[in-house]
Amino acid sequence: MHPARRCSSLLHRDLAAVCLSSLGTHPKKSGPLKESSLPSSRLCVYPSPTRSNCSPVLLGSSQVCQMGSGSSSRLFSTLAQTLSSAALSDPHVDPDDYEYEQADPDALLRECEEVLRNRPPRLHRDFAMTRACSLQNAPLRIMQWNILAQALGEGKDGFVRCPMEALNWSERKYLILEEILTYRPDVLCLQEVDHYFDTFQPVLASLGYQSSFCPKPRSPCLDVHNNNGPDGCALFFNRRRFQLLHTTHLRLSAMMLKTNQVVVVVTLRCRLTGRVFCVAVTHLKARSGWEAFRGAQGAHLLQQLRDITAQSYPEMDQENRTRVGASEEGIPLVVCGDFNAEPSEEVYRRFMTSPLGLDSAYKCLSEDGTTEPPYTSWKIRPSGESCSTLDYIWYSERAFQVDSVLRIPSEEQIGPDRLPSYHYPSDHLSLVCDLSFSQQPHRLM
């Protein structure tokens, strides 16, 4: 075991005790949402709609799926069993229409740490407090992350300083889940998701998240041999804390052309405060030379968001209806994404000057409060080294206050081989911030 990795008590469990039981899924019953006591680390499987390369292993009456290369350093843990070679009787059923046995996030985190015990420790990052906050404000934790599509990482992106073994999905998925479980966001926005149905949707559903996934129409993952299907944007939210009012999937346009970039937008009502807000996740066009194209995509996205946030919904109470009707900016908004754009680009300026009244949460890390971090992505490809600020969490400045943001790791922490690596699973850093609803009525009306 790497000395900095904690050895969990799961090492001493019987193998069958940490393997997933074949519990099956069943439709949700109508009625109010049940509170869960998160009793154990067992998960229900939502079978992947795509091909699975793994062969089932029988343990008593349980059927699980063998993952990885068979190395003795890897365990058949709870999370390893999220893939199944079986098919749903109805492949058109929405996974969120099924009820999953709830898992213990602490137990799952320990299992991640155990599987990763031979890898270097994950990057240590602290939160920077931007203002004194109270739990009475019921802060919302937002996480933004381009997790790197598995097919692209192994087949297209050419990370010349990253060993292929470091990108092996049988362990890399644990690094991704470890990061999510460490920060436990209320809202999670992901890009380059190509293992939604077989990994992230079932695992996060067992942790109390509801979700929506929109694949790219022409995903580059499909050009990679043995791919797992198209990549896209996925949005997850804590279903105990939020009520879903509306979901929209958008395909962005630029210069009157439909593009390959997509958006997921959800309108949520906070069960604690009654406040209604929208969250959007997107991933704009990559590569230099496409700056004007990204600017046009951003203009289209802002117009669509303005239309969506101007709507009222039957589930809104009168107070929220009044807020929306009296404000030019509409429903409060959070926009997360890999914009593939530095702050000097047109798309960034469009968001900063939008009538929606948006600001970037990570500017709070700078001394003057006006500067973005020096990088959110750092990689080495055959074309050279790239250190760029591409990822953002935008929020309605009138409606939210930033309580804290997760610091960016130093160059020394990242290491000379940059990202991804054995200790970090993506070429993009996760962004995490805590937002509180403003308590000042004059700023809401």
Side-chain angles (χ1 to χ4, degrees):
M1 177 186 295
H2 193 284
R5 284 269 179 202
R6 190 170 75 237
C7 180
S8 81
S9 60
L10 298 179
L11 180 63
H12 307 291
R13 284 190 186 179
D14 181 79
L15 175 63
V18 295
C19 284
L20 176 67
S21 297
S22 180
L23 300 174
T25 55
H26 52 279
K28 292 180 182 177
K29 298 180 176 64
S30 58
L33 185 68
K34 296 185 294 183
E35 290 294 328
S36 170
S37 59
L38 302 178
S40 70
S41 60
R42 295 162 68 204
L43 295 179
C44 280
V45 174
Y46 179 78
S48 169
T50 58
R51 174 186 52 77
S52 173
N53 290 326
C54 52
S55 57
V57 179
L58 293 179
L59 294 175
S61 61
S62 300
Q63 181 175 351
V64 297
C65 183
Q66 188 169 1
M67 294 294 296
S69 62
S71 167
S72 60
S73 67
R74 294 175 186 143
L75 293 182
F76 290 103
S77 72
T78 300
L79 295 181
Q81 312 310 326
T82 57
L83 296 181
S84 170
S85 58
L88 275 184
S89 58
D90 182 359
H92 303 292
V93 172
D94 186 337
D96 282 325
D97 288 338
Y98 280 77
E99 198 170 71
Y100 295 81
E101 183 173 346
Q102 296 301 282
D104 180 350
D106 293 319
L108 296 186
L109 180 58
R110 288 194 298 271
E111 291 188 14
C112 287
E113 292 167 345
E114 172 55 27
V115 171
L116 299 169
R117 67 194 185 279
N118 292 325
R119 290 200 177 209
R122 64 180 182 83
L123 300 177
H124 177 77
R125 302 166 67 184
D126 294 319
F127 279 90
M129 305 302 294
T130 60
R131 71 183 189 97
C133 61
S134 167
L135 292 178
Q136 293 179 343
N137 293 338
L140 315 173
R141 175 156 291 181
I142 310 293
M143 184 173 189
Q144 147 61 28
W145 198 13
N146 179 332
I147 61 172
L148 174 60
Q150 184 63 21
L152 301 183
E154 289 187 316
K156 277 203 164 193
D157 277 348
F159 300 113
V160 296
R161 299 285 289 273
C162 180
M164 286 302 294
E165 185 182 1
L167 297 172
N168 191 317
W169 182 244
S170 65
E171 287 188 359
R172 194 173 82 88
K173 65 180 177 182
Y174 288 91
L175 281 171
I176 297 172
L177 291 165
E178 181 185 47
E179 184 91 346
I180 295 169
L181 286 163
T182 297
Y183 301 115
R184 301 189 191 179
D186 297 304
V187 179
L188 171 64
C189 296
L190 302 179
Q191 300 86 38
E192 292 198 21
V193 179
D194 63 346
H195 278 272
Y196 174 78
F197 292 103
D198 61 11
T199 301
F200 295 107
Q201 195 281 330
V203 171
L204 293 174
S206 77
L207 296 169
Y209 289 92
Q210 189 172 335
S211 58
S212 186
F213 172 69
C214 185
K216 292 177 182 175
R218 298 183 300 275
S219 169
C221 292
L222 299 178
D223 299 329
V224 178
H225 182 62
N226 286 336
N227 67 79
N228 197 59
D231 76 304
C233 293
L235 194 153
F236 302 81
F237 62 89
N238 184 330
R239 61 175 176 257
R240 294 188 193 87
R241 178 155 189 193
F242 306 112
Q243 175 191 5
L244 177 64
L245 303 184
H246 190 71
T247 302
T248 303
H249 288 183
L250 302 172
R251 183 177 178 183
L252 291 176
S253 295
M255 305 169 184
M256 302 181 68
L257 298 173
K258 289 284 187 182
T259 74
N260 197 35
Q261 281 64 52
V262 298
V263 189
V264 178
V265 189
V266 298
T267 304
L268 304 174
R269 185 182 69 84
C270 179
R271 300 181 192 272
L272 298 176
T273 65
R275 301 289 292 274
V276 173
F277 66 106
C278 286
V279 185
V281 55
T282 192
H283 186 187
L284 300 188
K285 174 66 180 175
R287 306 284 185 267
S288 60
W290 291 85
E291 292 81 3
F293 195 83
R294 283 190 288 272
Q297 286 185 323
H300 181 230
L301 173 56
L302 287 167
Q303 182 56 57
Q304 293 297 309
L305 292 175
R306 193 168 186 181
D307 293 343
I308 291 171
T309 56
Q311 300 178 31
S312 293
Y313 298 95
E315 295 87 351
M316 284 187 184
D317 57 25
Q318 187 57 46
E319 183 180 2
N320 279 295
R321 289 174 185 271
T322 301
R323 286 193 184 103
V324 174
S327 171
E328 180 184 349
E329 298 165 8
I331 298 173
L333 181 63
V334 176
V335 185
C336 296
D338 174 0
F339 279 58
N340 277 307
E342 293 275 11
S344 57
E345 280 199 27
E346 176 190 354
V347 66
Y348 183 92
R349 293 193 294 271
R350 284 184 181 274
F351 269 71
M352 279 298 300
T353 59
S354 164
L356 289 168
L358 300 174
D359 202 359
S360 174
Y362 262 72
K363 292 196 306 184
C364 294
L365 278 181
S366 64
E367 291 185 4
D368 60 4
T370 64
T371 307
E372 295 289 349
Y375 50 84
T376 62
S377 177
W378 202 337
K379 67 198 82 175
I380 302 175
R381 285 174 166 157
S383 57
E385 187 166 349
S386 173
C387 178
S388 310
T389 300
L390 307 175
D391 308 273
Y392 305 94
I393 299 176
W394 299 93
Y395 67 98
S396 294
E397 191 175 15
R398 66 177 173 86
F400 294 108
Q401 294 174 311
V402 181
D403 296 336
S404 63
V405 292
L406 186 65
R407 294 186 186 276
I408 300 295
S410 67
E411 178 180 357
E412 182 180 7
Q413 286 180 286
I414 289 174
D417 293 333
R418 310 312 184 202
L419 304 173
S421 64
Y422 276 109
H423 62 271
Y424 202 77
S426 176
D427 55 324
H428 290 252
L429 295 165
S430 65
L431 305 184
V432 184
C433 73
D434 293 329
L435 303 176
S436 290
F437 286 108
S438 172
Q439 300 300 310
Q440 303 176 32
H442 67 277
R443 296 186 64 193
L444 297 170
M445 301 301 288

